[in-house]
Amino acid sequence: MGDRYFLEMVCKKCGLRDMDVYFAPTCGFTTWKCKCGEEVDLIKYTGITEEMVSNKTEIAAIIDTINL
């Protein structure tokens, strides 16, 4: 579990503007594919990794305190 983002992308190949790109690294939504076929790795594009936005460690710590 972690953060999700909505991005605005402009394709470098054809110039198409997509104003509703979903990016959620912890859920596997890490690429954007333009209608022209150009594919962008959103982790490389944004610099935001799964580890940076994951709250898995915090959730595990909370569960550990509940299961005493």
Side-chain angles (χ1 to χ4, degrees):
M1 298 176 80
D3 294 333
R4 63 195 124 196
Y5 306 88
F6 290 93
L7 307 172
E8 180 179 336
M9 300 291 297
V10 177
C11 181
K12 290 184 179 184
K13 185 175 179 182
C14 72
L16 175 89
R17 174 171 277 162
D18 186 344
M19 297 177 63
D20 194 28
V21 176
Y22 186 73
F23 173 47
T26 58
C27 296
F29 293 94
T30 59
T31 59
W32 170 70
K33 190 169 186 177
C34 181
K35 291 181 180 181
C36 75
E38 183 74 7
E39 192 165 324
V40 176
D41 180 330
L42 296 174
I43 292 175
K44 288 181 182 178
Y45 179 80
T46 63
I48 300 171
T49 66
E50 180 178 346
E51 293 79 22
M52 294 168 82
V53 296
S54 177
N55 55 6
K56 181 179 176 183
T57 303
E58 291 85 357
I59 291 172
I62 292 167
I63 291 171
D64 287 344
T65 63
I66 294 171
N67 292 327
L68 294 176

